[in-house]
Amino acid sequence: MRIVVVGHGMVGHRFVEVLARDASAVSLDTPIDVTVLCEEHLPAYDRVQLTSYFSGKTADDLSLVAPNFFEDSGFKLHLGKGATEVDRAAKTVTTTSGEKIPYDKLVLATGSFPFVPPLPGKDRQDCLVYRTIEDLEAMKVSATRSKVGVVVGGGLLGLEAAKALRDLGLETHVVEFAPRLMAVQIDDGAGKVLRNKIAALGVGIHLGKNTTEIVDGEICRHRMNFADGSHLETDMILFSAGIRPRDELARQAGLDVGPRGGIAIGNECLTNDPDVYAIGECALWEGRIYGLVAPGYQMAETAAHSIIAHEKKKEFMGADMSTKLKLMGVDVASIGDAHGATAGAQSFVYVDEPNEVYKKLVVSADGKKLLGAVLIGDVEAYGGLLQLMLNDMDLPDNAQALILPSFDGSAKPALGADALPMTATICSCNNVSKGEICDAVAKGCMDYDAIKSGTKAATSCGGCAALVKQVMNAELEKMGVEVKKDICEHFAYSRQELFHLCKVGEIKSFDALLDKHGNGQHDGCDICKPTAASIFASLWNEHVLKKPLAALQDTNDYYMANLQKDGTYSVVPRMAGGEVTPDGLIAVGSVAKKYKLYTKVTGGQRIDLFGARLEQLPLIWKELIDAGFESGHAYGKSLRTVKSCVGSTWCRYGMLDSVGFAIQLENRYRGLRSPHKIKFAVSGCTRECAEAQSKDVGVIATENGWNLYVCGNGGMKPRHAELLASDLDSETLIKYVDRFLMFYVKTADRLQRTSVWRDNMEGGLDYLKDVVINDSLGLAAELEAQMQYVVDTFQCEWKTAVNDPEILKRFQPFVNSNQPDDNIVFVQERGQIRPATPAEKAGRITIVEMA
């Protein structure tokens, strides 16, 4: 059977993958001969991750074709060769080179093309589209002569394109005809939060703009004129205003197409010709074009099964268009009927404007079923909500709790893996059910990588990874198999177990740890080495650059500074509680001025100094230490800051001295190394100016003393802290914080924030209260003693470093040269420096010479 596939994008390649996999598993009456025509000069690659091309990924990294796939399968791939004509009577396909290829079955996977509005000036130089790797190469060339870039279209692809422009170093704008971004997927409330988040990243957002023409600009190359009389100048324009199905081949062949385009197909992805199939974005099913990859993959599987008469043949019955993604660093998710268009639908909405979080549930009229959801800023609930909708499961009585933060310590309604039916779709991209994952476990796929390889689950967008692991672990436990929590291949232990082994065995070096508890493999890796370094620091509090500990540290700890995007480092002196004297400010300013550093006040009430070269770090820190400052540990997994308001010292509402207590706390815990960074805050009254309830440890003054909150954080997944104890005196509060922090250090996983540690804690807040307040485990004295040891052995890491000639040797840019790195260049902006973009380095504007 001769099968010809026209198109080798993501969907076309999935078709041939399924064909190769399943043809060998099915007894075919006739062998198959497969020819694939690929218009591009590259085989199929991951368009979903296209923007990563500007972050260092190569075409090979993005490739979807396994090594030797075509050689092993016997299929033929023709690169740089498309199709110009289909003769259905003769059953041949004519290629762009004039060759006629006969077929018995023809599969059209021709995809789509970007829609470019028919504007005067749309074909000007540097007016581009964002679709293929060739398009990205054209963007790179254009960026070398551009300062400003505009994306026309504020949908999913438009925002991805905007990220690409930012990655190229251009001033970036998004122009959208609709009144909000992502108009198809989210509602007005979510659109407002999303707009604010993206605008905060420095992207110009222009909504409700109808471009009428593109003409010469006065400052930039182009001027976009809008129907409302306004305009915008730019050097590069990217059109990302939607897609149109590539159905020209089908039209030429006389196949049925929709009135607005698209090759009409039925449930088996067959056209009106019984030997011609259409799959992916070129196909029209029930009057609808599906623009996501997951439905295309389902079509590919359906067509492949139909052609080889697979015994488990599937029909395409439409697809869920729910999606979760990160747009320019912003988490966005949309599920089902996000707009509440279903008759009788009701909504629950939660908005946290300070933290830019928006969540909405759409439920049925009787409140029993989930119809849709929108999540912006915090999408942790996506997996569970999606399963509730897809499997038509009943909602809990307090359905609104699914999107509300826990203010009182009560647990949210949870959807465990066991609650899902075997038919539940766990991986939407690859249409993998819970039953298929369970079958794979039963057949010997006993770890996550084996599950991915055996089922394709979590191999595309990765959004289902956590749920895949839950299903796998639950199935392993049912089989009586111990679920391993090994930190890496070198140690058959979790971080908690390694901590215990190091403490009991008084192990202080990585070699000793490997000898006593490793699995025989030498050297370790970039997972276990930093973990061991953190454990040693928590237990023994020796200098992180002491031999042989230095070799275990990651980049930031190795140089005791945060590495920035351009290869320079930041310097952050500690300002306990945010308090600093005028002389201290003058000293910091003098250092910044002398070494020409960028200065910024941080959200944690400190001053960041950016742009320090490696060889400058000891010189800068020597001056800061002489001025009375010490390391701020901004580079370590340790206590960062204790934020404070002015409290009763100055504020007329202040109940207690929040600044003094914040300084006391910061000076006590400043040297503590932990599984992840820790942030504190102390507010002088319940007006909460220090935002204590968003910190790992939050303290709020009341008339009766201090209230202690724990396990909150901002960041990618904001979480309110929970009230651990009320009306405490200072001594008792410090005792509880000692116990809480050391219990966290002792039991958390590697790189686990206190909020995640708390969420995974069996027994929740009540259990934590019992341990910390009631000493239910009998550990209180031990935890307090361990903390006191850390306090007593504190040393300013930079003060030690600048006085140690051996440590200072590592602070030079090159092993064989004392010359500075000439790849580090800056430009002036708002009176300070910033890293030069690639275009600026190429000579578009004059750079600032640095000392």
Side-chain angles (χ1 to χ4, degrees), residues 529-766:
K529 283 183 176 180
T531 302
S534 174
I535 291 172
F536 296 150
S538 299
L539 285 171
W540 318 121
N541 211 24
E542 296 180 318
H543 197 278
V544 293
L545 297 187
K546 175 184 175 182
K547 290 184 177 180
L549 297 177
L552 305 178
Q553 312 299 337
D554 62 17
T555 300
N556 287 348
D557 276 308
Y558 189 80
Y559 294 115
M560 298 192 301
N562 280 337
L563 177 66
Q564 303 303 315
K565 62 186 287 186
D566 65 336
T568 61
Y569 294 83
S570 64
V571 172
V572 188
R574 187 173 298 283
M575 295 179 179
E579 184 179 83
V580 60
T581 65
D583 284 341
L585 283 175
I586 291 169
V588 171
S590 296
V591 168
K593 190 172 183 179
K594 177 178 179 179
Y595 292 96
K596 300 180 181 178
L597 305 177
Y598 170 85
T599 58
K600 183 184 184 300
V601 178
T602 73
Q605 298 179 329
R606 301 196 292 192
I607 296 177
D608 262 1
L609 309 176
F610 291 86
R613 296 175 181 271
L614 183 63
E615 69 273 13
Q616 294 175 329
L617 289 174
L619 303 174
I620 291 169
W621 273 109
K622 177 68 167 59
E623 294 192 33
L624 290 172
I625 289 166
D626 289 345
F629 289 100
E630 63 182 31
S631 170
H633 281 91
Y635 48 82
K637 298 294 185 284
S638 54
L639 175 66
R640 296 292 177 87
T641 61
V642 181
K643 188 175 181 179
S644 71
C645 63
V646 294
S648 59
T649 309
W650 293 92
C651 180
R652 58 198 173 107
Y653 299 111
M655 308 297 297
L656 294 170
D657 178 12
S658 56
V659 178
F661 197 43
I663 293 171
Q664 184 180 352
L665 291 173
E666 186 157 354
N667 286 335
R668 180 171 181 80
Y669 302 114
R670 59 192 170 179
L672 177 67
R673 294 282 175 153
S674 53
H676 212 296
K677 62 185 176 185
I678 307 170
K679 296 182 180 181
F680 285 27
V682 182
S683 286
C685 72
T686 55
R687 284 171 176 79
E688 257 283 67
C689 292
E691 301 169 331
Q693 291 179 84
S694 65
K695 301 294 188 286
D696 300 277
V697 174
V699 181
I700 301 177
T702 69
E703 293 179 353
N704 302 313
W706 302 105
N707 285 355
L708 174 59
Y709 293 81
V710 295
C711 300
N713 70 261
M716 293 173 62
K717 295 182 179 178
R719 185 188 192 279
H720 276 75
E722 298 170 302
L723 181 63
L724 187 75
S726 304
D727 304 332
L728 304 174
D729 57 56
S730 299
E731 183 179 351
T732 303
L733 185 141
I734 288 174
K735 180 171 63 176
Y736 286 172
V737 174
D738 281 359
R739 297 175 184 178
F740 165 75
L741 288 177
M742 288 311 302
F743 188 56
Y744 163 61
V745 169
K746 184 183 181 75
T747 61
D749 287 336
R750 60 177 289 271
L751 301 180
Q752 188 176 53
R753 295 294 298 267
T754 60
S755 57
V756 181
W757 171 69
R758 154 65 184 89
D759 286 339
N760 293 336
M761 184 179 292
E762 192 171 340
L765 185 65
D766 290 339

Side-chain angles (χ1 to χ4, degrees), residues 2 108 232 238 259 335 344 836:
R2 297 165 300 183
L108 300 178
L232 178 64
L238 282 187
I335 297 173

Side-chain angles (χ1 to χ4, degrees), residues 411-612:
K412 291 183 181 181
L415 182 66
D418 284 341
L420 298 174
M422 286 296 182
T423 56
T425 300
I426 303 299
C427 176
S428 298
C429 289
N430 298 291
N431 197 29
V432 182
S433 68
K434 174 185 173 181
E436 288 173 299
I437 295 174
C438 293
D439 287 345
V441 172
K443 292 175 181 176
C445 295
M446 309 298 270
D447 60 43
Y448 179 59
D449 287 338
I451 290 293
K452 289 174 65 176
S453 176
T455 67
K456 293 288 186 181
T459 58
S460 294
C461 75
C464 62
L467 193 54
V468 170
K469 290 178 183 176
Q470 289 177 26
V471 172
M472 178 191 72
N473 289 340
E475 196 64 18
L476 287 171
E477 288 174 354
K478 287 178 186 176
M479 295 167 60
V481 177
E482 180 184 0
V483 177
K484 288 288 186 182
K485 298 181 180 178
D486 300 355
I487 194 167
C488 69
E489 66 267 26
H490 301 104
F491 293 97
Y493 301 100
S494 65
R495 181 199 171 276
Q496 181 178 349
E497 290 167 335
L498 283 179
F499 184 95
H500 179 74
L501 291 170
C502 291
K503 184 175 186 298
V504 172
E506 296 189 1
I507 298 172
K508 298 185 178 182
S509 74
F510 188 69
D511 286 344
L513 185 61
L514 271 177
D515 289 342
K516 290 187 178 182
H517 304 292
N519 64 0
Q521 300 184 45
H522 59 83
D523 291 341
C525 64
D526 57 4
I527 293 176
C528 58
K529 283 183 176 180
T531 302
S534 174
I535 291 172
F536 296 150
S538 299
L539 285 171
W540 318 121
N541 211 24
E542 296 180 318
H543 197 278
V544 293
L545 297 187
K546 175 184 175 182
K547 290 184 177 180
L549 297 177
L552 305 178
Q553 312 299 337
D554 62 17
T555 300
N556 287 348
D557 276 308
Y558 189 80
Y559 294 115
M560 298 192 301
N562 280 337
L563 177 66
Q564 303 303 315
K565 62 186 287 186
D566 65 336
T568 61
Y569 294 83
S570 64
V571 172
V572 188
R574 187 173 298 283
M575 295 179 179
E579 184 179 83
V580 60
T581 65
D583 284 341
L585 283 175
I586 291 169
V588 171
S590 296
V591 168
K593 190 172 183 179
K594 177 178 179 179
Y595 292 96
K596 300 180 181 178
L597 305 177
Y598 170 85
T599 58
K600 183 184 184 300
V601 178
T602 73
Q605 298 179 329
R606 301 196 292 192
I607 296 177
D608 262 1
L609 309 176
F610 291 86

Side-chain angles (χ1 to χ4, degrees), residues 335-338 340 342-346 361-365 369-373 389 395:
I335 297 173
D337 182 10
T342 305
Q346 306 178 76
L361 289 185
V362 180
V363 302
S364 58
K369 303 293 182 181
L370 181 68
L371 302 177
M389 186 201 72
L395 289 168

